[in-house]
Amino acid sequence: MRFSMLSQVFSQMFKKPFTNKFPAKYIPSSTTKFLEDVGAGRAKTIPPVETPPNFRGKIQYDKEKCIGCKLCIKVCPTEAIEYKEKEKKIKIYLARCCFCSQCNDVCPTNCLSMGNEFLLADTDKYSKDLIVE
Amino acid sequence: MNPEATTKTTYRLPIGPIHPALKEPVAFEFEIDGERIVDVDVSLGHIHRSIEWAGMRRNPIQNLYLAERICGICSYCHPMAFALAVERAAGIEVPERADYLRVIQAELERICSHLLWAGVAAHEIGFDSVLFLTWQIREKALDLTEYLTGNRVTKAITMIGGVRRDITKDMHPMIHETMNYFKDNFEKLRHVYLDDKTFKMRSQGVGILTKEDALKLCACGPTTRASGIKKDVRLDQPYFAFGDLDFDYVTPDVLTGEVNGDVYDRIIVRLLEVKQSIELIEQCLDQMPKGDIVSEPKIAKLLATLKKAKGEGIGRMEAPRGEVFHYVKLDGNEYPYCWKVRAPTYSNILPWMPMLRGEQIADIPIVAASTDPCMSCTNRVAIVDTDKKYELNKEELHRLSVEKTRRLMK
Amino acid sequence: MAKGLSKSFKKALWVYHCNTGSCNGCDIEIIAALCPRYDVERFGIKLVGSPRHADALLITGPVTRQMEKKVKRIYEQMPDPKAVICVGNCGNTGDVFYESYNLVGPIDNIIPVDVHVIGCPPRPEAIINAVAKAWVKLETLEAK
Amino acid sequence: MTKQLTPEEIVKSFKDEFKTKIKDTRIEKHIAGTKKNELIHIWMNVDRSVFKNVVKHLMTLEEYPHLAVTSGYDMGKTIKLVYHFSIYFGVRYREISLNITVELPKPNPTIETITDLIPGALITEQEKQEMLGIKVKGIPKDKRVFISDDFPKGIYPWRRDEAGPEKMIRNLHEVKK
């Protein structure tokens, strides 16, 4: 067959599109207004591709269980975990974290676990919601 | 300057290091005689992030994640070869179930990497619809990787002495379903890549690497197998559980009966390897023994044993692009004393010289991409002429390549 | 960010990808965002081959010593209303390569960065979310 | 294929020819998988003076040995290079890894090139020159591969002494403000 790709292209026309239209089908005329509507519940965004069970997303830190043993700092490959001397707790910079969840495995009281939130983008890399306290 | 004295000189054509759409920066320097390439000179190092030096200042557990970011596409082979080297240096035994789990991850990554490469090769010739078709199939492989390891690209599943996550019984249906999806689409891919007239014209007889050159330049991976050399670490020196599975070397004569070491043969070898990987994963799934998945679950204890370990070890593994080689020397303190990494493209750079010599400029993208280099680049071309200097960027170079396809089609 | 924005700037955001020494994990996620499953083409986002026609610069990787001059040149070559989106933690803070003799620091040491995408590598949807944040930032500029 | 020697025969063939110049050879057998198949690594120390002949002798065992890479590290007074060869590839389970360690005194760390025997060794020799500051005699293309040209001359990144990269280190986490 001269062009074996032609049959693919034609058969693709009658199939359901493979795209998962994430925030919305096309650009809203004003994104800020669209995001306010979504916040207020008037508009609905199409959800992203759902994450599997133990997906490695934004890290969650259970402050009470932490005993300040600093094992996670010893094992973190990106120096993303800072130790706070006075209250014997840790502070994790998400801008440095490489989401390897090695700290979860080493933590004796397993107070660290990986959430599944992954839409993390911000204008300032050390902003409040990018530091897990 | 009297006319007789002027001999025909060649132009020096520097292909700038900067960053095409996909590949990493490496700088070529071509000697061009008219349209033909006379000589090739490559300067690397634009992505030299001093990983080996940094590895000597961190403990082996942290080095695993440093090794994982050496190359994003084969991000499983480097930490695994590093883990093999450390296990052999420190004398750590790996349970059998972990060997099988490691094989499954290795073959799944080979499928992802070869599909990625096939899409890029099609894009280089100007076949964007095939790129979208191939990457649409690859999304399924990424979903499976995310399901098994938690992240689409950086798998973070290697641990010194075993594997970090198990594949339980209720994960098997998802794996079998994805493998069947690949099997149905494999015939479609083979038909598109191997029977298409355009692919044949642009890749047959182009960028030939003779068997003798490949052996002398110590090339490795699909590039050498496409030249007919049986060199595959999974079979020569079987690590993990490759010794128990039955499969054979993949060379082009398995499908077409003859070997001529050009770009077309490299496409054949890679597609056959995808087919082989699917069978290997299924063999592993039903032969997997029971048992624990890592020899030392408590990381603190593992760090202590590694701290006291002394000795040197090498880890060799067959990555999608060729043989990955790690050498580690531990001498009894926390950080390894020496860590040498050799990515497969390291030894596939010299074969570019015989391949590209005598080719046209328009063939540079497809020939350079045919060895599936982890760092090749054809973005900015500045043709230095005696009087005028003009720039061809990837857009024009790509258009040049697409035009050649159309010219051949007439 | 830049002054004097027109309506159409947002509708057809042409994107130029620049890899300053990344492990190309983020680069394949950028290309995956262009492929059928996430298809940013429906937002008018197109990958262009040269910085001269690009509106946004998707930059990845901790900048190596050789690439520093070139990244500055790329930034100057881009026409003025431009946005810089730094994809992946390598560009934000040099992720695992935080200490080296051949790297010259996170990208905002060299060029001003507008949106940082966190992740190693970020999922294609995270890149789409970052582009949406870039639009929000653009609109605040339009309002001024 | 040439006749396949067992690991012990290989070591003996080296020892007969070079006698005392080959020191502390050791054969490692590693097992993998349920069938416990063996992987064989041979390690040997070779004196610098006979290194080229050792490689020539190795070429008699296998016509085209596969040189993976040369690793090198700084031992204080000497620089050690480990050449990683592998022979008998092509037949299942048969490949043997051969690692030859050569010690170079730090005052004049020079070694002959093997690119005339194995052309594939060019890039790894160039890398050793720029990373460890050794001099490879007779290297066809004496040029820097991985480090940029504006990198200061006398600094060798893998050295642990004063020629090390201490001055060049940058920590990317220093927040600029």
Side-chain angles (χ1 to χ4, degrees):
Chain A
M1 237 279 276
R2 231 173 113 68
F3 301 111
S4 52
M5 194 50 201
L6 275 186
S7 61
Q8 288 307 325
V9 173
F10 287 136
S11 65
Q12 200 65 30
M13 261 188 250
F14 309 108
K15 286 200 196 112
K16 198 169 75 56
F18 189 66
T19 315
N20 158 27
K21 306 175 183 42
F22 164 51
K25 196 157 184 352
Y26 298 111
I27 321 176
S29 58
S30 140
T31 329
T32 27
K33 195 171 68 53
F34 176 74
L35 291 182
E36 276 137 22
D37 295 353
V38 167
R42 283 192 298 281
K44 198 172 62 47
T45 64
I46 301 164
V49 177
E50 83 288 344
T51 54
N54 32 36
F55 174 74
R56 283 184 278 118
K58 179 174 177 181
I59 197 161
Q60 276 138 11
Y61 172 49
D62 175 353
K63 215 170 164 92
E64 288 67 33
K65 277 208 240 160
C66 172
I67 53 170
C69 63
K70 292 207 263 187
L71 260 179
C72 50
I73 295 173
K74 202 158 140 48
V75 135
C76 174
T78 59
E79 263 186 16
I81 303 176
E82 229 172 56
Y83 187 67
K84 288 191 278 188
E85 286 307 328
K86 39 190 177 6
E87 35 177 321
K88 282 205 172 321
K89 297 290 178 205
I90 58 169
K91 175 174 164 179
I92 303 168
Y93 292 99
L94 279 182
R96 295 184 190 161
C97 168
C98 73
F99 298 91
C100 62
S101 86
Q102 185 65 54
C103 45
N104 303 3
D105 297 359
V106 82
C107 181
T109 61
N110 50 49
C111 60
L112 288 162
S113 61
M114 286 308 230
N116 56 17
E117 196 216 332
F118 61 89
L119 294 171
L120 308 158
D122 208 322
T123 43
D124 159 27
K125 59 186 179 186
Y126 288 119
S127 75
K128 256 301 126 267
D129 57 4
L130 288 185
I131 293 177
V132 176
E133 211 62 50
Chain B
M1 206 161 46
N2 49 38
E4 305 81 21
T6 54
T7 58
K8 228 150 64 90
T9 58
T10 56
Y11 287 133
R12 294 209 53 82
L13 173 76
I15 291 192
I18 303 175
H19 37 83
L22 185 66
K23 301 180 187 69
E24 287 157 312
V26 67
F28 287 98
E29 185 88 15
F30 285 100
E31 289 259 333
I32 304 284
D33 174 8
E35 269 277 319
R36 293 273 155 220
I37 298 169
V38 169
D39 189 15
V40 183
D41 175 25
V42 186
S43 89
L44 320 162
H46 295 276
I47 46 153
H48 177 62
R49 296 155 294 188
S50 68
I51 287 172
E52 287 142 355
W53 172 81
M56 297 179 206
R57 309 157 67 85
R58 298 180 192 183
N59 62 49
I61 303 283
Q62 288 171 325
N63 276 349
L64 279 177
Y65 300 98
L66 189 60
E68 201 169 45
R69 280 148 183 87
I70 289 173
C71 159
I73 310 172
C74 47
S75 79
Y76 170 79
C77 304
H78 283 288
M80 200 38 92
F82 175 76
L84 275 175
V86 170
E87 279 152 18
R88 286 173 184 158
I92 298 174
E93 286 308 315
V94 179
E96 277 148 23
R97 186 178 176 83
D99 273 342
Y100 277 83
L101 290 170
R102 286 177 165 184
V103 168
I104 291 175
Q105 295 293 344
E107 292 313 314
L108 180 57
E109 170 161 83
R110 199 181 310 282
I111 294 173
C112 283
S113 175
H114 282 334
L115 288 180
L116 177 141
W117 171 80
V120 163
H123 172 68
E124 284 308 327
I125 305 181
F127 234 146
D128 283 349
S129 52
V130 177
L131 164 72
F132 293 140
L133 170 73
T134 318
W135 279 53
Q136 181 182 331
I137 296 171
R138 181 172 171 267
E139 285 296 330
K140 265 280 195 276
L142 289 182
D143 284 350
L144 182 61
T145 314
E146 194 171 44
Y147 178 70
L148 294 180
T149 64
N151 189 314
R152 283 158 58 97
V153 175
T154 49
K155 301 166 185 55
I157 198 156
T158 56
M159 180 39 67
I160 294 169
V163 180
R164 281 179 67 192
R165 288 188 182 190
D166 197 353
I167 295 183
T168 51
K169 266 282 170 271
D170 52 14
M171 289 180 172
H172 284 230
M174 167 89 165
I175 299 177
H176 283 299
E177 179 221 326
T178 317
M179 288 306 133
N180 296 336
Y181 174 80
F182 286 143
K183 279 190 204 143
D184 318 339
N185 285 302
F186 182 77
E187 188 42 39
K188 190 196 300 183
L189 274 182
R190 194 201 61 72
H191 181 56
V192 161
Y193 275 101
L194 296 185
D195 304 345
D196 192 278
K197 198 165 169 347
T198 324
F199 262 111
K200 279 203 175 123
M201 257 188 291
R202 276 308 300 278
S203 56
Q204 273 177 339
V206 172
I208 290 178
L209 180 67
T210 60
K211 180 166 184 167
E212 218 243 343
D213 270 347
L215 273 171
K216 273 211 313 231
L217 296 172
C218 304
C220 61
T223 324
T224 50
R225 291 196 282 278
S227 307
I229 300 160
K230 289 191 179 331
K231 194 190 259 190
D232 183 336
V233 184
R234 293 177 298 177
L235 290 147
D236 300 337
Q237 217 180 40
Y239 50 94
F240 301 162
F242 281 110
D244 318 337
L245 310 169
D246 62 346
F247 60 110
D248 199 356
Y249 294 90
V250 171
T251 45
D253 48 19
V254 164
L255 191 74
T256 59
E258 35 109 29
V259 170
N260 34 40
D262 54 6
V263 174
Y264 189 69
D265 279 358
R266 285 177 209 124
I267 299 177
I268 295 174
V269 164
R270 288 201 172 91
L271 284 185
L272 290 181
E273 276 185 9
V274 168
K275 197 168 187 334
Q276 187 184 56
S277 297
I278 298 169
E279 284 143 20
L280 280 177
I281 288 183
E282 274 165 356
Q283 272 181 44
C284 271
L285 275 185
D286 41 35
Q287 283 176 19
M288 194 143 63
K290 290 274 168 296
D292 49 14
I293 59 171
V294 73
S295 64
E296 175 46 67
K298 283 203 286 306
I299 312 276
K301 207 151 147 338
L302 179 67
L303 272 176
T305 46
L306 287 176
K307 204 171 174 174
K308 293 191 292 297
K310 266 197 174 38
E312 52 188 353
I314 55 172
R316 299 177 70 221
M317 203 188 143
E318 183 68 25
R321 281 166 197 69
E323 176 214 16
V324 157
F325 188 96
H326 278 240
Y327 166 76
V328 171
K329 179 172 175 49
L330 305 171
D331 68 345
N333 55 30
E334 202 180 351
Y335 309 136
Y337 193 81
C338 164
W339 174 31
K340 177 62 195 145
V341 173
R342 201 221 63 165
T345 315
Y346 188 94
S347 72
N348 281 346
I349 282 173
L350 288 177
W352 268 335
M353 318 295 177
M355 273 194 230
L356 281 167
R357 204 162 282 136
E359 292 304 327
Q360 300 169 359
I361 300 182
D363 280 335
I364 292 176
I366 183 64
V367 170
S370 73
T371 60
D372 192 355
C374 215
M375 40 178 186
S376 93
C377 115
T378 55
N379 182 290
R380 206 156 53 82
V381 170
I383 294 184
V384 183
D385 215 334
T386 42
D387 40 18
K388 58 182 178 28
K389 176 175 187 297
Y390 58 91
E391 273 190 4
L392 256 176
N393 63 24
K394 174 164 169 88
E395 205 68 37
E396 275 94 3
L397 191 65
H398 193 53
R399 185 178 43 72
L400 210 65
S401 170
V402 168
E403 250 165 40
K404 181 178 177 198
T405 318
R406 289 208 187 85
R407 227 178 20 251
L408 290 172
M409 297 295 291
K410 279 200 207 47
Chain C
M1 200 47 75
K3 16 202 193 316
L5 286 173
S6 66
K7 201 76 170 122
S8 65
F9 177 77
K10 189 154 67 66
K11 282 281 189 284
L13 198 75
W14 277 16
V15 152
Y16 179 78
H17 165 253
C18 166
N19 167 356
T20 63
S22 135
C23 75
N24 70 35
C26 297
D27 306 301
I28 26 179
E29 291 297 81
I30 291 173
I31 305 296
L34 289 152
C35 280
R37 188 172 198 181
Y38 302 100
D39 194 11
V40 282
E41 202 108 6
R42 53 195 161 98
F43 300 135
I45 296 172
K46 189 167 108 65
L47 200 63
V48 284
S50 136
R52 294 183 199 286
H53 343 124
D55 306 327
L57 175 66
L58 275 176
I59 193 159
T60 63
V63 194
T64 53
R65 179 181 304 280
Q66 300 95 319
M67 298 301 284
E68 185 185 1
K69 283 199 314 305
K70 291 156 184 136
V71 168
K72 284 203 183 90
R73 254 173 80 185
I74 291 284
Y75 185 69
E76 276 121 25
Q77 278 172 359
M78 285 170 68
D80 204 9
K82 55 191 168 191
V84 176
I85 301 173
C86 170
V87 181
N89 277 355
C90 267
N92 299 335
T93 56
D95 190 270
V96 207
F97 312 110
Y98 59 89
E99 197 185 21
S100 151
Y101 57 81
N102 199 33
L103 296 178
V104 281
I107 287 178
D108 47 16
N109 279 4
I110 295 157
I111 53 175
V113 175
D114 298 307
V115 183
H116 295 272
V117 190
I118 306 293
C120 182
R123 270 176 131 221
E125 282 110 349
I127 297 174
I128 295 173
N129 173 36
V131 172
K133 283 225 162 60
W135 289 331
V136 169
K137 193 165 185 185
L138 283 170
E139 273 154 17
T140 49
L141 265 162
E142 268 164 30
K144 264 211 239 10
Chain D
M1 275 305 281
T2 56
K3 194 181 81 49
Q4 303 240 331
L5 303 174
T6 66
E8 289 72 18
E9 279 163 1
I10 293 175
V11 172
K12 208 172 70 53
S13 74
F14 275 105
K15 272 218 156 53
D16 301 347
E17 190 172 341
F18 299 102
K19 296 186 193 43
T20 60
K21 290 287 191 302
I22 308 269
K23 291 184 283 301
D24 55 52
T25 63
R26 89 177 177 275
I27 296 173
E28 279 174 9
K29 288 191 168 33
H30 299 283
I31 50 155
T34 46
K35 291 209 184 87
K36 297 284 177 270
N37 39 56
E38 273 181 356
L39 300 101
I40 297 150
H41 298 167
I42 303 177
W43 299 81
M44 62 175 76
N45 274 8
V46 162
D47 192 63
R48 178 172 59 153
S49 54
V50 296
F51 172 65
K52 191 105 185 211
N53 309 342
V54 164
V55 178
K56 284 201 181 79
H57 177 76
L58 178 69
M59 305 274 282
T60 58
L61 296 177
E62 156 97 39
E63 202 204 348
Y64 291 109
H66 172 72
L67 170 69
V69 80
T70 321
S71 15
Y73 47 92
D74 173 3
M75 293 290 282
K77 279 186 296 306
T78 63
I79 291 180
K80 274 201 168 167
L81 292 182
V82 189
Y83 283 75
H84 301 281
F85 292 99
S86 72
I87 46 177
Y88 301 150
F89 51 82
V91 179
R92 203 158 180 206
Y93 303 114
R94 276 288 154 276
E95 186 164 33
I96 292 174
S97 295
L98 194 71
N99 311 298
I100 298 173
T101 315
V102 186
E103 205 156 349
L104 314 176
K106 194 164 259 187
N108 74 330
T110 59
I111 191 160
E112 300 103 345
T113 176
I114 53 171
T115 40
D116 46 358
L117 303 168
I118 306 170
L122 177 64
I123 289 194
T124 188
E125 279 177 1
Q126 284 172 335
E127 191 202 14
K128 292 304 147 302
Q129 273 190 301
E130 71 185 356
M131 289 293 181
L132 276 167
I134 62 169
K135 182 78 198 69
V136 179
K137 284 193 293 242
I139 189 165
K141 209 184 279 184
D142 186 353
K143 159 169 101 58
R144 273 182 166 181
V145 180
F146 288 113
I147 297 188
S148 66
D149 299 335
D150 56 8
F151 194 82
K153 278 287 175 281
I155 292 192
Y156 303 110
W158 289 354
R159 284 277 188 92
R160 286 174 185 263
D161 50 17
E162 75 299 335
E166 298 327 318
K167 301 177 282 306
M168 313 284 295
I169 298 175
R170 271 182 42 71
N171 188 321
L172 275 63
H173 282 178
E174 290 129 14
V175 187
K176 212 167 53 177
K177 47 183 178 304

